[in-house]
Amino acid sequence: MIKDTIVDGFNNAPHRSLYHALGLTVEETSRPLIGIVSSYNEIVPGHMNLDKITEAVKLGVAMAGGTPIVFPAIAVCDGIAMGHTGMKYSLVTRDLIADSTESMTLAHGFDGLVMIPNCDKNVPGLLMAAARLNIPTVFVSGGPMLAGHVNGRKRSLSSMFEAVGAYSAGKMTDEELTEFEEKVCPTCGSCSGMYTANSMNCLTEVLGMGLRGNGTIPAVYSARIELAKHAGMQVMELVRKNIRPRDIMTAAAIKNAVTADMALGCSTNSMLHLPAIANECDVEFDLNWVNEISEHTPNICHLAPAGPTYMEDLNEAGGVYAVLKELADAGLIDTSVMTVTGKTLGENIADAVNLDPETIRPIDNPFTKTGGIAVLRGNLAPDGCVVKRAAVASEMLVHEGPARVFNSEEECIEAIYGGKIKDGDVVVIRYEGPSGGPGMREMLSPTSAIAGMGQDKTVALITDGRFSGATRGASIGHVSPEAAKGGLIAYVQEGDIISINIPEYHIELKVSDEEIEARKKTTELQVKKNLSGYLKRYSQMVSSADKGAIINVK
């Protein structure tokens, strides 16, 4: 065990003296040392219950013969960070989380880890760390929030952002807006739709790194505490069997995750996080996998914002395992891959049952015959851009219209609320990419404003930034190359015609090559100056979105 190099022998007496300073007994230091990476804090609603999850994990580790030792990981609430400078600090924390977890683990010689994430970049950041460290690791999330209820209908955070748009359009009163504000987020937990946090917690199950229910058991259910205890016990089994993350997160497992992503209708942010996780596993993620897998993987779940069901409904329907069983029965996933249970994925899902064929549609009765996410290419995005097509109205799957060009999210929001966006427009928001933003801000505020004002079936939005999992409509993000790196999006002008064809995976700026070359000679790229601190370093080192916005260190 790793601790043997730190604890045993006369030369390690100084280390043992510091363990005594912690109040650890000789009996405790003779057992495997298990790091409990707790993302608990008091500002993220999805993390306010993680102190209870952490205590349950510690108990599970101790019951199974290990010594649990807690250390922290940071987390940003994307909802609170949305729409202002704070959103520049969301995606960038993914690397801070991975790096700090690596540092703490290797500095202190843990034999195994239990990761306790929930919202949003916290999950992929810890998955990246797990792959990088490659010591026995189990994940247990804090669980999803229950849906709110307004006027007899289930609601969630995306409903709140859209309510702001409706209020701005004069379609909602002060009293109605206040009712939404007070009721859409009724409990702790990750926001209740298939947004980024819940997408990644579900995909953690698919990747084999979390136990059954990791993605769907609501945060306020006692079953979540039981799951945490089992995660603590299971890491000890992995230590004994020496089963490691890279034994689990193989190329086949990552392809399984893409397949499940298509079936579940996950957040487009998964197209940043799965490549980044794959990179840490030394697996080359090919963005072409997305469309190839999507072509033969039906979308069988329509959770909010795509539809009227929520994470609690998916849990009652049988959870992620029931979705995987549908896919496995159709021969769409590799069931031979190893998981943290010590069993194969096939063994895990053998008894899974779909208990609600409306929440989880059978394979032969899907919502759509193709998957929930599409990658578009064309002259505007030769390296690709991403859309959550499961949340796009049928009227907008093919669209052509004039560009309305903005160099920041703030400029765009002002125009939307000012009533300056017309039906048929294609809104372009640029200089919000990984490097140019920097930080690749989510664009939930403008997309929700468009939806709330009733234009989600008439207006498209394109950006080199990204979208929240709560976004719906023809919202196309991750345009690569980004504007700050000289991508064609930097040279789009007001009124240019942009053509979007999601079924054919195509996007095009209808401007001649000659005109584009002329614009390149006269247009100065807007590179943000006076950056400082972490954002300055991040801007200089981050890759393009099609590579997962990873930090280029190789």
Side-chain angles (χ1 to χ4, degrees):
M1 291 186 292
I2 296 172
K3 76 169 187 64
D4 293 342
T5 63
I6 296 176
V7 176
D8 295 342
F10 74 93
N11 56 315
N12 286 321
H15 304 87
R16 293 195 297 272
S17 72
L18 292 170
Y19 285 137
H20 285 300
L22 290 168
L24 292 176
T25 66
V26 172
E27 290 80 4
E28 286 174 301
T29 56
S30 68
R31 299 169 183 168
L33 301 180
I34 306 299
I36 313 298
V37 189
S38 174
S39 304
Y40 169 76
N41 65 46
E42 295 183 340
I43 189 61
V44 183
H47 290 224
M48 63 180 284
N49 66 319
L50 297 191
D51 55 342
K52 296 178 176 60
I53 300 294
T54 300
E55 289 305 312
V57 169
K58 288 174 64 179
L59 183 58
V61 169
M63 286 192 295
T67 297
I69 300 177
V70 178
F71 65 90
I74 64 169
V76 164
C77 176
D78 279 25
I80 294 174
M82 195 71 65
H84 59 93
T85 300
M87 183 44 70
K88 294 179 184 289
Y89 287 90
S90 171
L91 179 61
V92 304
T93 64
R94 189 182 67 180
D95 295 279
L96 288 175
I97 291 161
D99 292 349
S100 59
T101 301
E102 173 194 357
S103 300
M104 286 293 291
T105 300
L106 295 181
H108 299 105
F110 292 110
D111 296 296
L113 297 169
V114 180
M115 307 289 202
I116 309 176
N118 215 28
C119 308
D120 275 17
K121 312 311 167 288
N122 194 250
V123 187
L126 290 177
L127 283 166
M128 290 164 65
R132 190 183 301 174
L133 291 161
N134 201 34
I135 64 173
T137 303
V138 177
F139 276 67
V140 56
S141 76
M145 185 184 292
L146 294 179
H149 291 80
V150 181
N151 297 326
R153 290 181 57 190
K154 287 184 177 181
R155 301 286 190 173
S156 63
L157 184 64
S158 59
S159 310
M160 185 71 253
F161 277 89
E162 291 179 16
V164 173
Y167 179 83
S168 299
K171 298 179 179 181
M172 184 174 286
T173 66
D174 289 343
E175 292 77 15
E176 289 171 328
L177 184 67
T178 298
E179 184 177 15
F180 268 78
E181 181 182 330
E182 293 174 348
K183 293 182 176 179
V184 297
C185 296
T187 73
C188 63
S190 48
C191 295
S192 55
M194 187 54 80
Y195 309 146
T196 303
N198 292 326
S199 295
M200 293 310 301
N201 283 325
C202 286
L203 295 182
T204 297
E205 278 192 64
V206 182
L207 286 168
M209 292 298 294
L211 299 176
R212 183 176 194 161
N214 178 72
T216 60
I217 297 173
V220 294
Y221 283 14
S222 296
R224 176 63 56 178
I225 300 297
E226 295 179 31
L227 181 70
K229 292 175 184 175
H230 283 129
M233 289 186 273
Q234 189 58 30
V235 75
M236 295 304 299
E237 187 69 14
L238 296 183
V239 170
R240 282 189 281 272
K241 293 182 177 179
N242 196 29
I243 298 175
R244 299 168 179 251
R246 291 194 200 178
D247 300 326
I248 295 168
M249 291 192 286
T250 60
I254 291 167
K255 284 188 175 182
N256 281 348
V258 176
T259 302
D261 191 321
M262 297 300 121
L264 286 163
C266 291
S267 164
T268 51
N269 281 312
S270 63
M271 292 300 103
L272 291 173
H273 301 325
L274 288 176
I277 295 162
N279 177 67
E280 297 290 352
C281 295
D282 288 331
V283 172
E284 187 171 347
F285 189 99
D286 186 346
L287 205 58
N288 290 322
W289 289 350
V290 177
N291 292 345
E292 292 168 4
I293 290 172
S294 178
E295 279 296 319
H296 60 258
T297 304
N299 177 227
I300 59 177
C301 295
H302 254 195
L303 284 82
T309 51
Y310 292 82
M311 295 306 296
E312 62 202 65
D313 302 309
L314 179 60
N315 188 63
E316 294 301 318
V320 173
Y321 275 25
V323 174
L324 292 175
K325 187 65 160 59
E326 292 283 351
L327 296 173
D329 288 347
L332 295 175
I333 58 172
D334 185 340
T335 58
S336 69
V337 293
M338 178 54 62
T339 72
V340 291
T341 65
K343 300 177 181 178
T344 65
L345 183 63
E347 291 175 300
N348 288 346
I349 65 174
D351 63 347
V353 178
N354 182 354
L355 300 173
D356 182 354
E358 278 306 307
T359 297
I360 305 173
R361 290 276 188 92
I363 288 289
D364 58 2
N365 182 35
F367 288 101
T368 59
K369 292 182 179 180
T370 52
I373 289 178
V375 173
L376 313 185
R377 296 183 189 271
N379 67 347
L380 192 57
D383 294 335
C385 55
V386 179
V387 61
K388 187 174 182 175
R389 67 172 161 190
V392 178
S394 58
E395 300 94 316
M396 293 299 293
L397 290 171
V398 178
H399 180 76
E400 185 171 293
R404 303 298 310 282
V405 183
F406 305 94
N407 289 333
S408 71
E409 179 185 11
E410 288 81 1
E411 291 178 22
C412 179
I413 285 287
E414 183 179 351
I416 295 170
Y417 287 151
K420 297 178 181 178
I421 304 302
K422 307 302 180 185
D423 291 349
D425 285 349
V426 178
V427 175
V428 177
I429 307 176
R430 61 192 179 193
Y431 295 106
E432 293 285 6
S435 178
M440 204 179 182
R441 288 193 289 181
E442 287 185 345
M443 303 290 164
L444 179 57
S445 293
T447 59
S448 297
I450 288 170
M453 297 174 82
Q455 293 184 300
D456 57 300
K457 296 181 180 179
T458 60
V459 172
L461 193 150
I462 297 173
T463 182
D464 53 7
R466 61 193 178 92
F467 295 112
S468 165
T471 290
R472 64 184 175 94
S475 302
I476 300 166
H478 307 192
V479 170
S480 300
E482 62 176 292
K485 297 296 185 181
L488 185 55
I489 192 172
Y491 305 103
V492 178
Q493 293 184 1
E494 192 81 6
D496 286 349
I497 299 301
I498 295 176
S499 174
I500 301 164
N501 191 320
I502 296 173
E504 294 187 5
Y505 307 116
H506 188 69
I507 186 167
E508 182 181 3
L509 175 67
K510 291 198 162 182
V511 173
S512 70
D513 292 342
E514 293 77 14
E515 172 62 18
I516 290 169
E517 288 306 312
R519 291 180 187 181
K520 288 182 178 180
K521 293 176 182 177
T522 58
T523 304
E524 183 177 352
L525 298 180
Q526 296 191 17
V527 179
K528 289 185 174 61
K529 300 176 182 178
N530 301 318
L531 293 173
S532 61
Y534 182 51
L535 286 184
K536 182 176 182 178
R537 285 180 282 136
Y538 185 87
S539 177
Q540 293 170 344
M541 298 176 68
V542 68
S543 78
S544 62
D546 64 293
K547 302 298 183 185
I550 60 173
I551 297 298
N552 286 311
V553 294
K554 293 185 178 180

